[in-house]
Amino acid sequence: MLPLIDLQRQYKSIQKEADAKILEVLSGARYIMGPNVMEFEKAFADYVGTKYAISVGNGTDALVIALKALGIGAGDEVITTSFTFFATGEAISFVGATPVFVDVKPDSYNIDPDQIEAAITEKTKAIMPVHIFGNPADMDEINAIAKAHDLYVIEDAAQAAGASYKGKACGALSDMACFSFFPTKNLGCAGDGGMITTDSEELATIVRALRVHGSGANGRKAKVLLEGGALEVEEETDQAVDNTVYNADKYFNYIIGHNSRLDEIQAALLNVKLPHLDAWNADRVRLAKAYDEAFKDTALVTPYAEEGMIYHMYILQTDDRDKVLAHLAERGIATGVYYQVPMHLQKAFEDLGYKEGDLPVSEYLSGRTFALPLFPGLTDQEQERVIKTLKECL
Ligand SMILES: *Cc1c(COP(=O)(O)O)cnc(C)c1O
């Protein structure tokens, strides 16, 4: 079976270096908040171009913690897209706020700025665009709406590591941005991992406190900040710690937080992978363009790529999805459907009271889209086979 994404192939390309770094972590016995995490946070902030990058346990936690850091909770509304992975809406509900789903643009599949304005109420606190499939959302329009209505913007950049918008990295285009290092993301680790980027020292401090039980110096400051106070001037950043040494600070807690940290093994692997990310994304773009070319005169709808798109996935539309997917599966080619159910029609969001027909573009897309194998290292022969096999059944 040709998979949608072959993680083994990617691992083999960096195996020597990755194994050495991971073994170093194991024998060094500093597993939590050690030197690899510090190094990766610095490297990732430099890569995205934000002042701060604070790692957390996964991308969903990144969204939850970002929302909490902005003080968003019960009684608040957050406007987001219906055409996304569940975690986007889930995080909003998890903090007690209400996700307000709006429709997407039929070409880019990203949140439609024209629909955001109409969804704003006096309860709205933030807009959460998703750079879906690695395609940058319309951040200028979204930020302008946010500014006019005094709202925060949080990017869900889980699918957009390495993507850019008008020359600036996704993740550096709003108040806070959230990344996931789930293994199949463009920058994936060997388990769960996530990151929050921001230029705000205050928000960075609160995030650092929230990821470790609201304890220590960051916890104390976070409490002051969340209660509307100001930060003292000296800048506090996390230091690498040795958890085998007693640290009294850990046992003074100031706010209710989480246990959500990237671990040293994941950080070590991500430090090895990050320098390859641009080349891997370039390979995705090259392969995507070859698919585009092959399918341009067919009945399939090929992806509309904004400048800066990095093809987290290669998504096509067809009128006859069941037939196409069965044809490919029978011939050993994996496919996937992103997304079967738009958020406003998910059972878990039933309480919100949406019904079929409310967001017609998302609903239309969810009946037509499918993903083809696309990953760095996919060979030309494999891609040729995918193209030939798919064309057979058109
Ligand atoms: C993957 C993903 C997340 C969640 O990330 P996890 O690390 O799996 O928790 C959130 N939003 C989007 C759009 C995603 O694709």
Side-chain angles (χ1 to χ4, degrees):
M1 191 79 164
L2 178 65
L4 264 185
I5 173 169
D6 187 337
L7 292 176
Q8 234 162 21
R9 226 176 276 189
Q10 190 182 58
Y11 168 63
K12 292 223 169 81
S13 74
I14 52 156
Q15 181 171 7
K16 237 176 116 198
E17 204 188 341
D19 288 0
K21 290 281 185 197
I22 288 168
L23 286 175
E24 214 177 278
V25 174
L26 288 176
S27 59
R30 291 175 71 180
Y31 304 131
I32 294 283
M33 297 294 282
N36 286 286
V37 165
M38 302 301 132
E39 181 187 333
F40 181 59
E41 288 183 345
K42 168 128 200 359
F44 199 78
D46 287 348
Y47 179 79
V48 172
T50 51
K51 279 197 196 139
Y52 307 97
I54 305 107
S55 58
V56 293
N58 56 69
T60 308
D61 279 2
L63 293 166
V64 168
I65 290 173
L67 288 159
K68 282 194 187 174
L70 292 169
I72 293 167
D76 298 332
E77 292 177 355
V78 178
I79 297 171
T80 191
T81 163
S82 189
F83 199 64
T84 180
F85 177 61
F86 183 63
T88 313
E90 182 183 36
I92 297 166
S93 288
F94 190 83
V95 302
T98 303
V100 175
F101 297 113
V102 303
D103 220 342
V104 294
K105 302 200 304 183
D107 54 2
S108 71
Y109 311 157
N110 271 317
I111 191 166
D112 183 348
D114 291 341
Q115 313 237 356
I116 294 174
E117 196 110 36
I120 294 173
T121 72
E122 69 257 28
K123 291 181 180 169
T124 309
K125 285 281 153 33
I127 306 168
M128 188 182 276
V130 180
H131 306 297
I132 200 73
F133 308 132
N135 215 13
D138 296 302
M139 294 308 295
D140 280 355
E141 290 83 349
I142 293 166
N143 283 324
I145 295 167
K147 196 160 176 232
H149 296 269
D150 202 18
L151 307 174
Y152 296 115
V153 178
I154 306 168
E155 288 161 81
D156 181 341
Q159 302 184 0
S164 62
Y165 173 79
K166 301 189 177 173
K168 232 176 140 182
C170 288
L173 305 166
S174 62
D175 296 295
M176 303 180 92
C178 302
F179 290 88
S180 164
F181 306 122
F182 186 82
T184 58
K185 306 287 162 138
N186 289 39
L187 179 61
C189 60
D192 279 309
M195 186 76 88
I196 294 170
T197 52
T198 182
D199 279 328
S200 159
E201 188 188 339
E202 286 81 5
L203 292 173
T205 302
I206 301 171
V207 169
R208 287 193 181 108
L210 283 171
R211 74 173 164 182
V212 285
H213 309 290
S215 65
N218 285 322
R220 183 163 33 79
K221 291 181 181 181
K223 183 175 167 65
V224 173
L225 290 167
L226 285 167
E227 287 168 359
L231 206 62
E232 304 122 62
V233 269
E234 33 84 59
E235 188 183 321
E236 173 89 20
T237 48
D238 284 328
Q239 304 289 320
V241 293
D242 181 348
N243 291 292
T244 61
V245 176
Y246 178 70
N247 170 13
D249 243 19
K250 278 172 69 172
Y251 304 97
F252 290 83
N253 305 80
Y254 300 88
I255 56 173
I256 302 297
H258 297 251
N259 172 15
S260 186
R261 292 164 294 204
L262 187 71
D263 67 67
E264 279 286 294
I265 289 178
Q266 303 309 337
L269 179 59
L270 289 164
N271 276 324
V272 172
K273 282 188 162 191
L274 183 58
H276 297 282
L277 179 59
D278 285 342
W280 286 337
N281 281 340
D283 209 30
R284 286 173 183 273
V285 172
R286 178 186 62 79
L287 290 160
K289 298 297 166 200
Y291 275 143
D292 284 350
E293 185 59 29
F295 301 130
K296 73 171 186 229
D297 295 321
T298 70
L300 299 166
V301 179
T302 54
Y304 170 81
E306 305 277 2
E307 177 102 28
M309 153 75 133
I310 41 90
Y311 295 92
H312 170 56
M313 286 195 269
Y314 188 81
I315 302 290
L316 291 165
Q317 283 181 51
T318 172
D319 293 331
D320 212 351
R321 189 166 67 191
D322 290 347
K323 188 182 121 199
V324 168
L325 298 197
H327 181 88
L328 289 168
E330 279 157 23
R331 287 153 188 84
I333 295 169
T335 55
V337 173
Y338 304 94
Y339 291 96
Q340 294 265 6
V341 185
M343 289 310 109
H344 68 288
L345 299 180
Q346 287 282 6
K347 279 279 176 233
F349 292 124
E350 206 168 38
D351 294 356
L352 299 175
Y354 292 94
K355 56 185 188 322
E356 235 179 285
D358 283 348
L359 303 177
V361 180
S362 300
E363 291 168 31
Y364 176 77
L365 292 173
S366 66
R368 297 171 50 86
T369 49
F370 68 101
L372 285 183
L374 181 87
F375 52 87
L378 180 74
T379 66
D380 292 344
Q381 293 89 310
E382 286 167 328
Q383 187 175 35
E384 272 310 313
R385 185 161 83 83
V386 176
I387 292 166
K388 194 170 138 276
T389 311
L390 177 50
K391 279 186 161 174
E392 275 164 20
C393 85
L394 294 176

